[in-house]
Amino acid sequence: LARQWAVNQMQALSNKYGFLIVMPEIRTYQHEDLLPIAEEELKLVIKDIQQHYSIDTSRMFLHANCSGGYRALRLATDYPKMFKALALYAPLYHRSFSDEWSNEHKPELFINKLKNVPMFIHGDPVDKHSPYSIYKDLIDDCKRYDIPLTLSFKLNSGKYYNVVLVGEEALDFFETLR
């Protein structure tokens, strides 16, 4: 039910802002990295959208939450020219994996590639599931590498599956860049 509610809310936001919003589901486990097969699935989704809709590929934005934020950072650091901007809700930044490939492709190793990609980070100071400590170093690295950064911290934003408030703030941010 939560997934359908999120889809309905994002549809309403899509209509309000005039964005084509895609919410792909990739085959990953909760604590799994964005492995090459999942990355290829995401690229196929983007290619399929480009074939069926008239979109400006220079205005594609990426929005994700929590561990999805980690995977979004991985995708963005692998393809820094693919997305015009990122909006992330309490993104996980540091991960330890047992496989060598994942450890060699951590976003913190390549975050400097996003120097020209504006980033919006939203957090909730009282969110116990995704506390500030999991993305503090990302904020520090954005400052270190002069990545354009906008921050938003609002109490109790985690209510309602993070979709309405966080999704709308992300779209407001993207709208300023459109």
Side-chain angles (χ1 to χ4, degrees):
L1 289 175
R3 170 80 177 149
Q4 187 58 52
W5 188 87
V7 170
N8 293 345
Q9 293 301 317
M10 291 310 291
Q11 179 63 52
L13 291 173
S14 171
N15 293 340
K16 177 179 177 180
Y17 286 87
F19 280 99
L20 172 65
I21 297 175
V22 179
M23 296 172 66
E25 297 221 10
I26 56 174
R27 290 176 275 190
T28 58
Y29 294 103
Q30 182 177 5
H31 298 290
E32 187 175 48
D33 192 9
L34 181 65
L35 297 174
I37 191 167
E39 191 172 289
E40 287 304 313
E41 285 181 339
L42 286 173
K43 289 184 344 191
L44 285 171
V45 168
I46 292 168
K47 184 178 179 181
D48 187 59
I49 292 165
Q50 291 170 336
Q51 290 174 347
H52 291 90
Y53 296 93
S54 176
I55 63 167
D56 181 349
T57 57
S58 69
R59 295 183 338 178
M60 292 191 339
F61 304 100
L62 185 59
H63 175 46
N65 297 347
C66 198
S67 63
Y70 179 87
R71 293 180 190 108
L73 283 167
R74 276 266 299 102
L75 187 64
T77 56
D78 281 353
Y79 305 96
K81 294 182 181 183
M82 184 180 286
F83 302 101
K84 183 169 180 137
L86 304 174
L88 307 170
Y89 174 80
L92 190 58
Y93 189 49
H94 297 295
R95 298 290 304 266
S96 293
F97 295 101
S98 58
D99 66 289
E100 185 177 332
W101 186 91
S102 292
N103 286 318
E104 291 174 352
H105 290 85
K106 292 180 177 184
E108 63 261 34
L109 299 175
F110 305 101
I111 195 72
N112 61 325
K113 289 182 176 183
L114 300 180
K115 188 174 182 102
N116 297 315
V117 181
M119 193 177 309
F120 175 84
I121 297 177
H122 177 96
D124 184 335
V126 297
D127 185 344
K128 291 183 174 114
H129 175 72
S130 302
Y132 177 74
S133 61
I134 70 170
Y135 54 92
K136 177 194 176 303
D137 290 346
L138 172 59
I139 292 170
D140 292 343
D141 281 351
C142 287
K143 292 174 183 175
R144 179 178 303 123
Y145 294 112
D146 294 322
I147 296 169
L149 178 63
T150 302
L151 297 172
S152 172
F153 293 98
K154 293 196 173 128
L155 290 175
N156 300 310
S157 59
K159 293 180 179 178
Y160 311 116
Y161 198 59
N162 300 328
V163 175
V164 178
L165 174 65
V166 178
E168 189 149 16
E169 276 201 322
L171 294 179
D172 281 340
F173 174 70
F174 295 151
E175 183 72 21
T176 67
L177 303 171
R178 195 155 70 154

